[in-house]
């Protein structure tokens, strides 16, 4: 079922109503129009036709032109019916919402996708690092990684084989840190991360997995 | 999966890049988009009105007519459009369903024509959106009732092979069917009336004999009245026995209200026959005669209105109950007040609180017999308050009962509500099923889909080897299995499984494995071994092949078996599980084994097969099915290269 998105936007309302605060939040009928096709074409690596297809899908789900976190979570959760995708979707939302204004506009969406689908391996790795680094301080700590890992395992849901145990995410984090944290200082920096990934065949190969998605 | 959300699938797949650095296992291969079409507009010509939409829009619901290949039957080559000879107005709703994912029911539309159109286009009505669902259900119910009424009218036509018993029952239930039934109907009615009148006249004082005081007629003409009574009871007994004989479900008949009334009507007579003319019991005997008045209720078989009244009262039971309760409260309050107010006055009739109940009731219902009146001033004040409030309290339930009566008159509420509730449950179940359908679809396709993916993989290297016939066959099978979007979605879920090293299973397997794991008591393993254990843990017991094993560069001889070999190890404890799991896959696995027999220069050309040579600490414990095709010595594979370590 599609959702009819109730979008509250804090950014770029094309008209303001002189109303009460609550009214403004409720009624600010958002009309966010993306930049022109040519500009987007220049900024991203998508062709015109691909941008058209993307925008049509985007606008269909979000008629107002922006996605807020709740809708984002809803949409993402539809792909993982067995588990709970909301935490991971939250992290994803933060990764896409580059200007941190609480909503993802079409430009943010397309920029993100451009990196993920058409970017160089380096760019993709930087994006992934950005995703893992929850507080954006340049370091991935074990706690951050544990959060991410739990979020990923949450998406699996309950009915898995073998049965998910409590310590599985933690163990997975340990493995990850053993792999990535070269100087064993308890955090993974971006250089360590990129370095290590580039040396790993599996990861390199998987980076190319979704290239023909559009 | 929902309609518009399919448009976000590319996004979801792109976001999966976030899992890649975390995963320890290689990812499965993405489904290729063979002959990917550019999205095109298609024209749907419905009785002359042309609708246009994207092909992808229609593909969102592959299990409907427009979403599947069924629409090809309607393709018109000359005009290059799809022609449907159906109602264009209803088609608007159908097409909007594809566009928005919500099915709406327009009010002006006839319910049966709408249903027909939905059935034609293969759309289940249960997915009508909440905004329109109530309306749809109401209309549907009305229609069903109308049909049922029509059917009942037609039931009067006598069916050819009815047993005597069934004929009799029908005659009893519906007196208009035959003349015999009508005669019977009137005769019983007459005798009921006679019986009631007899009971009444019995008590009237007849003229007295000169030297006797006035006696009721019953005692004067005892014999006559006795004969009359006997005759009526005879008739009633015979009628009851005949009904009992004809009833299709005797037990249910005996429990029904009408039969109880019948029994109560005739029982006093028989009890009276049995009992002797004893002084002690004659008092009780007289009481029994009261029950003879119940014969009046036998009239309800003859009167529809009486039945409806009875039904109304039954259905208003809760409102009446509430009324009674509030009345009781008020009575008690006022009676108490009056009693204490009148306590002081002399020769007061208000001797106790229960005695004051009578006064309160009479006052509240504005009867005012006057046999009990308050004498003190306080008593009079409270008495007036009592009568005023009584008016209000009594006035409350009347509109309720009236509205109930009219409501029942217009529709049979209760039976329909029950039916609707059942349907509501069914509807919710169906919606839930379609929602969980996506998850079970993944599990389902895992069993079939991997087979197809394996085929897909083997196709490329085998292209030179397989005959054209074979490959097209496979292609057909592939294209038939899952739509592209579904296969991409499944690939996404597959990647997640790989990342976390766990598999999706359905409820029952989960319960099983949970129980068995609980029984086994695993020692928790140290983190350093976790990857290895994870690898061994991922014994794909339920799935056929992983295409992720490449043969060793050197070990070509047995290695050609490897790519499609189902090598998996079982952590010791869970071995039993494999026996349970494998059975459903026997067909696909065996056929895969067959395919493996072809000589394969696969090794060198498999650029698509990702590398991971899984370490196998123990020799591969293949399924207890007995994988006899394994000539290769397992020991050759002990290359310990566990993914990224």
């Amino acid at each position: 079922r599609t959702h009819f998105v109730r979008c509250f936007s804090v950014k770029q309302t094309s008209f303001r109503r002189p109303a009460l605060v609550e009214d403004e939040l409720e009624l600010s009928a958002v009309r966010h129009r993306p930049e022109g096709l040519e500009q987007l074409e220049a900024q991203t690596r998508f062709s015109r036709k691909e941008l058209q297809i993307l925008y049509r899908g985007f606008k269909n789900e979000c008629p107002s032109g922006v996605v807020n976190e709740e809708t984002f979570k809803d949409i993402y959760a539809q792909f993982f019916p067995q588990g709970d995708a909301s935490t991971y979707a939250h992290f994803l939302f933060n990764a896409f919402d580059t200007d941190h204004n609480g909503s993802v506009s079409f430009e943010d969406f397309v920029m993100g996708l451009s990196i993920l689908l058409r970017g160089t391996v380096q760019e993709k790795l930087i994006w992934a690092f950005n995703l893992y680094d929850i507080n954006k301080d340049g370091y991935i700590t074990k706690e951050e990684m544990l959060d991410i890992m739990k979020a990923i395992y949450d998406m699996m849901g309950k009915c898995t084989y073998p049965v998910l145990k409590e310590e599985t995410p933690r163990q997975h984090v340990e493995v990850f840190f053993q792999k990535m944290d070269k100087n064993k200082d308890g955090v993974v920096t971006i250089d360590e991360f990129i370095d290590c990934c580039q040396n790993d065949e599996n990861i390199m190969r998987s980076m190319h997995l979704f290239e023909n998605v559009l | 999966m929902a309609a518009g959300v399919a448009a976000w699938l590319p996004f979801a797949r792109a976001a999966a890049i976030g899992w890649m650095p975390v995963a320890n296992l290689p990812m499965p291969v993405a489904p290729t988009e063979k002959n990917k079409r550019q999205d095109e507009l298609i024209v749907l010509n419905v009785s002359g009105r042309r609708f246009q939409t994207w092909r992808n829009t229609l593909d969102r619901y592959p299990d409907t007519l427009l979403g599947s290949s069924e629409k090809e039957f309607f393709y018109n080559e000359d005009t290059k459009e799809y022609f449907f000879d159906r109602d264009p107005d209803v088609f608007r709703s159908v097409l909007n369903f594809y566009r928005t994912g919500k099915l709406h029911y327009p009010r002006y539309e006839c319910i049966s024509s709408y249903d027909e159109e939905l059935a034609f286009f293969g759309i289940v009505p249960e997915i009508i959106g909440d905004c329109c669902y109530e309306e749809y259900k109401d209309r549907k119910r009305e229609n069903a009732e109308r049909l049922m009424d029509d059917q009942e009218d037609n039931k009067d036509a006598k069916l050819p092979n009815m047993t005597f018993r069934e004929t009799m029952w029908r005659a009893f239930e519906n007196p208009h069917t035959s003349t015999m039934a009508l005669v019977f109907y009137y005769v019983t009615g007459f005798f009921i009336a006679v019986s009631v009148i007899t009971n009444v006249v019995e008590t009237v004082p007849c003229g007295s004999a000169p030297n006797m005081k006035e006696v009721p007629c019953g005692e004067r003409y005892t014999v006559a009245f006795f004969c009359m009574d006997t005759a009526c009871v005879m008739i009633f007994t015979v009628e009851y026995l005949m009904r009992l004989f004809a009833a299709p479900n005797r037990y249910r008949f005996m429990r029904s209200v009408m039969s109880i009334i019948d029994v109560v009507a005739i029982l006093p007579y028989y009890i009276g026959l049995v009992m002797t003319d004893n002084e002690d019991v004659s008092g009780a005997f007289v009481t029994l005669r009261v029950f003879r008045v119940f014969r009046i209720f036998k009239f309800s078989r003859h009167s529809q209105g009486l039945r409806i009244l009875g039904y109304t009262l039954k259905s208003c039971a809760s409102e009446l109950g509430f009324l009674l309760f509030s009345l009781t409260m008020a009575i008690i309050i006022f009676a108490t007040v009056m009693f204490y107010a009148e306590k002081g006055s002399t020769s007061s009739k208000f001797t106790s609180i229960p005695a004051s109940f009578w006064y309160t009731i009479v006052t509240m219902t504005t009867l005012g017999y006057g046999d009990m009146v308050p004498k003190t001033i306080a008593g009079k004040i409270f008495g007036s308050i009592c009568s005023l409030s009584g008016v209000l309290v009594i006035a409350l339930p009347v509109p309720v009962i009236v509205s109930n009566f009219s409501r029942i008159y217009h529709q049979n509420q209760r039976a329909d509500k029950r039916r609707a509730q059942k349907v509501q449950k069914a509807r919710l179940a169906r919606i839930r099923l379609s929602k969980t359908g996506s998850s079970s679809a993944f599990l389902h396709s895992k069993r079939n889909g991997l087979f197809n993916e394996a085929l897909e993989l083997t196709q490329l290297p085998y292209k030179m080897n397989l005959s054209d016939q074979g490959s097209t066959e496979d292609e057909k099978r592939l294209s038939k299995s899952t739509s592209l979007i579904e296969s991409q979605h499944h690939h996404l879920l597959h990647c997640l499984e790989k990342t976390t090293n766990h598999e999706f299973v359905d409820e029952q397997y989960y319960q099983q494995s949970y129980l068995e794991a609980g029984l086994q008591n695993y020692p928790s393993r140290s983190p350093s071994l976790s990857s290895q254990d994870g690898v061994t843990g991922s014994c794909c017991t339920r799935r056929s092949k992983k295409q992720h094993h490449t043969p060793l560069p050197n070990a070509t001889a047995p290695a050609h078996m490897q790519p499609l070999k189902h090598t998996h190890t079982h952590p010791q404890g869970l071995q039993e599980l494999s026996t349970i799991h494998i059975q459903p896959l026997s067909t696909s696995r065996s056929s895969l084994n067959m395919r493996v027999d072809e000589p394969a220069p696969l090794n060198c050309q498999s650029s698509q097969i990702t590398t991971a040579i899984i370490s196998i600490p123990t020799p591969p414990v293949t399924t207890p099915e007995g994988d006899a095709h394994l000539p290769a010595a397992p020991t050759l594979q002990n290359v310990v290269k566990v993914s990224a370590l």
Side-chain angles (χ1 to χ4, degrees), chain B residues 165 169 243-250 252-253:
Chain B
R165 185 174 156 187
W169 181 250
R243 274 183 205 268
L244 191 61
F245 166 68
N249 185 351
R250 296 213 174 104
R252 195 158 57 96
F253 172 74

Side-chain angles (χ1 to χ4, degrees), chain B residues 130-142:
Chain B
D130 286 330
C131 44
C132 300
Y133 193 67
E134 287 296 323
E135 173 82 19
Y136 174 79
K137 273 295 158 191
D138 286 340
R139 295 276 286 270
K140 197 150 187 189
R141 202 185 314 140
E142 275 176 48

Side-chain angles (χ1 to χ4, degrees), chain A residues 1-2 56 60-61 72 78-79 82 88 96 116 132 149 153 156 158-162 172 175 200 206 214, chain B residues 2 4-5 8 11 17-22 36 54 60 100 489 499-500 502-505 507 510 530 644:
Chain A
R1 288 241 208 102
T2 56
R56 283 206 296 260
N60 223 4
E61 274 304 296
F72 196 87
Q78 300 239 353
F79 294 106
Q82 280 193 319
Y88 189 70
F96 268 87
L116 287 173
Y132 298 150
M149 201 63 75
Y153 275 87
M156 289 294 293
K158 187 174 59 99
C159 300
T160 57
Y161 178 77
H172 204 147
V175 171
D200 182 332
S206 60
L214 259 194
Chain B
V5 186
W8 285 64
F11 155 74
I17 288 195
W19 309 332
M20 299 302 141
V22 170
K36 177 180 178 211
W54 297 108
R60 285 178 193 162
T100 64
H489 185 212
T499 310
T500 58
H502 289 69
E503 291 174 24
F504 285 112
V505 297
E507 270 297 325
Y510 170 68
S530 65

Side-chain angles (χ1 to χ4, degrees), chain B residues 500-518:
Chain B
T500 58
N501 221 343
H502 289 69
E503 291 174 24
F504 285 112
V505 297
D506 55 28
E507 270 297 325
Q508 55 190 39
Y509 279 161
Y510 170 68
Q511 310 281 9
Q512 269 180 352
S513 62
Y514 194 71
L515 288 172
E516 306 220 8

Side-chain angles (χ1 to χ4, degrees), chain A residues 1-4 49-50 53-54 56-62 67 71-72 74-76 78-83 88 92-93 96 104 109 112-113 115-117 124-125 127-129 131-132 145 148-149 151-165 167-168 170-176 178-180 193 197 199-203 205-214, chain B residues 1-33 36 38-39 54 60-61 99-102 127-128 130 427 431 435 438-439 443 488-489 491-493 495-497 499-507 510 513-514 517 522 524-525 527-528 530-531 537 539 541 574 577 581 610-611 641 643-645:
Chain A
R1 288 241 208 102
T2 56
H3 319 268
F4 288 121
K49 257 200 145 53
E50 288 166 337
I53 296 178
L54 277 175
R56 283 206 296 260
F58 185 85
K59 182 98 176 159
N60 223 4
E61 274 304 296
C62 311
V67 196
T71 321
F72 196 87
D74 277 340
I75 294 177
Y76 200 70
Q78 300 239 353
F79 294 106
F80 302 98
Q82 280 193 319
Y88 189 70
L92 267 186
F93 187 81
F96 268 87
V104 168
F109 181 69
L113 275 190
I115 297 178
L116 287 173
L117 298 180
K124 289 181 190 174
L125 289 174
W127 191 91
F129 185 86
L131 176 71
Y132 298 150
M145 204 56 219
I148 299 266
M149 201 63 75
I152 294 181
Y153 275 87
D154 279 343
M155 284 198 283
M156 289 294 293
K158 187 174 59 99
C159 300
T160 57
Y161 178 77
V163 178
L164 265 180
K165 306 198 190 73
E167 62 269 10
T168 319
R170 197 175 291 278
Q171 288 174 356
H172 204 147
V173 171
E174 292 298 326
V175 171
F176 180 77
Q178 275 189 354
K179 221 184 344 171
M180 300 279 164
F193 182 75
C197 289
N199 291 336
D200 182 332
E201 280 184 41
N202 267 339
I203 297 181
R205 195 170 289 106
S206 60
M207 284 289 150
H208 296 290
L209 197 56
F210 295 110
E211 256 159 23
N212 59 345
V213 157
L214 259 194
Chain B
M1 209 169 42
V5 186
W8 285 64
L9 188 57
F11 155 74
R13 300 179 72 212
I17 288 195
W19 309 332
M20 299 302 141
V22 170
N24 297 324
L25 296 177
M27 292 294 138
V29 181
T32 52
E33 302 167 6
K36 177 180 178 211
Q38 286 290 20
D39 202 5
W54 297 108
R60 285 178 193 162
Y61 295 98
R99 292 189 182 126
T100 64
K102 271 195 172 182
I127 48 180
I128 291 184
D130 286 330
R427 176 201 177 207
I431 289 183
K435 277 197 181 143
S438 55
S439 58
L443 295 172
Q488 286 179 345
H489 185 212
H491 174 251
L492 185 66
L493 292 173
C495 285
L496 183 60
E497 284 186 338
T499 310
T500 58
N501 221 343
H502 289 69
E503 291 174 24
F504 285 112
V505 297
D506 55 28
E507 270 297 325
Y510 170 68
S513 62
Y514 194 71
Y522 265 113
S524 60
R525 312 183 191 224
S528 58
S530 65
S531 60
C539 60
T541 51
L574 289 177
L577 281 179
H581 298 305
T610 57
T611 56
K641 184 184 171 209
S643 61
L645 271 175

